[in-house]
Amino acid sequence: MSEFDLSDAVPGGTAPTVQGTNPQQPPNWSPNPWGQYPGAGQPYPGAPGAGQPYPGAPGAYPGAPGGAYPGAPGAGQPYPGAPGAGQPYPGAPGAGQPYPGAPGDGSQFPGAPGGGMAFPLFPGAGQTFPGFSGPTPTPTPAPTGPSAPQPGVPGGPAPQSGPAAPLKIPFDLPLPSGIMPRLLITCNGAVNKNTRRFTFDFKRQNDIAFHFNVRFDESHKVVVRNSLIKDRWGSEERQAPKFPFECGKPFQIQFLCEADSFKVAVNGEHLLQFKHRVTELNQIKALSIYGDVTLTSVMPTMI
């Protein structure tokens, strides 16, 4: 094996250039077996002239027509079967005539309402579509007298006109989902003449979670609050800033459920607060009202 010579790697060295001797230097391809590249703008040897096809290329695709496709109409002619110029399509009505089946004399289609009438099932002016809840009603103000009209009550008789019909006492309001924070129950009615007592009980089955008892028959009129759990009454709460009820006079009582207590307002003024003794609020599923009282509405809402 011959020794490596530095001149093998130096350009212009005297050592002969042999393919494979120095891997960093390409072999000498002289003469060029591929011939010389053509000059700029010149075609390759054997290439056809400008605009000429390659040798052996067909004049057109085999089977292609020399003119239009077979069966096509001549230039400016309509397709076979098309109506003549200015003629309607087969079955089209004549000029100025209605389409077949339309009523004559400008009358409406069969089943359409008369002139100026709404289509069937369309609600009248100011009415909503069936199932549309409409805007939230304005809260009903506190009654100003025994005959003040009140909103309807779920399960109770709906007033048609004039004063609301009284609800039957005792009255039970179901609360299927129980009570929850921000539930407001508004009760409108009047204290009976010569009344002794009336009561609002929030119930959990046989338990009374909140007993709101208005007493006229004690030496000092009082509102007693308590709870009955497993047949045992708890401690009474009697303190209140005032006694807001009068015999024969209307009232509005509002019970607002909060996370930790009931808040009670009478005739728009806060009266008292009762801390929850039954904390499973979703189990309190009824409000019972009984005693010497007349009711016109009991309305639960979320606020």
Side-chain angles (χ1 to χ4, degrees):
M1 181 176 183
S2 62
E3 294 183 0
F4 176 75
D5 192 329
L6 181 61
S7 63
D8 293 336
V10 177
T14 58
T17 302
V18 181
Q19 183 178 3
T21 303
N22 184 359
Q24 300 299 323
Q25 182 164 335
N28 184 4
W29 295 100
S30 182
N32 187 355
W34 302 103
Q36 299 297 321
Y37 287 100
Q42 299 298 316
Y44 285 92
Q52 299 298 315
Y54 283 91
Y61 286 98
Y69 285 92
Q77 298 298 315
Y79 282 91
Q87 297 297 315
Y89 285 90
Q97 299 296 316
Y99 282 91
D105 304 326
S107 58
Q108 296 176 305
F109 285 90
M117 304 301 291
F119 282 91
L121 300 181
F122 192 84
Q127 303 294 320
T128 59
F129 284 93
F132 182 72
S133 60
T136 303
T138 304
T140 304
T144 58
S147 62
Q150 303 294 336
V153 183
Q160 300 298 323
S161 61
L167 304 178
K168 185 178 179 180
I169 298 295
F171 176 84
D172 288 322
L173 175 69
L175 301 168
S177 299
I179 63 174
M180 61 197 72
R182 312 312 295 168
L183 172 67
L184 175 69
I185 300 179
T186 302
C187 307
N188 290 297
V191 180
N192 293 346
K193 294 181 178 180
N194 302 318
T195 186
R196 298 182 67 230
R197 298 184 180 188
F198 60 89
T199 304
F200 294 76
D201 282 344
F202 287 85
K203 292 184 175 181
R204 178 185 65 176
Q205 296 182 351
N206 295 327
D207 292 342
I208 300 176
F210 179 28
H211 174 71
F212 182 90
N213 182 223
V214 180
R215 300 181 183 180
F216 284 80
D217 58 349
E218 293 195 4
S219 56
H220 296 285
K221 299 173 185 177
V222 66
V223 178
V224 176
R225 293 87 67 194
N226 207 339
S227 58
L228 177 68
I229 301 175
K230 295 183 179 179
D231 297 324
R232 283 180 169 270
W233 284 104
S235 58
E236 290 186 345
E237 297 181 17
R238 289 173 166 256
Q239 298 299 319
K242 63 180 180 179
F243 184 84
F245 302 100
E246 295 184 44
C247 290
K249 294 294 182 71
F251 64 80
Q252 182 185 77
I253 304 178
Q254 293 177 295
F255 297 93
L256 175 62
C257 177
E258 295 282 26
D260 60 344
S261 63
F262 284 98
K263 292 180 179 178
V264 184
V266 178
N267 298 332
E269 295 184 9
H270 176 74
L271 179 65
L272 56 88
Q273 191 164 334
F274 182 80
K275 187 175 181 180
H276 291 312
R277 299 181 186 180
V278 174
T279 57
E280 298 84 5
L281 302 181
N282 62 334
Q283 297 179 11
I284 303 173
K285 296 194 173 184
L287 169 61
S288 294
I289 305 170
Y290 54 93
D292 301 325
V293 67
T294 298
L295 284 178
T296 52
S297 72
V298 179
M299 181 182 295
T301 55
M302 293 297 297
I303 62 171

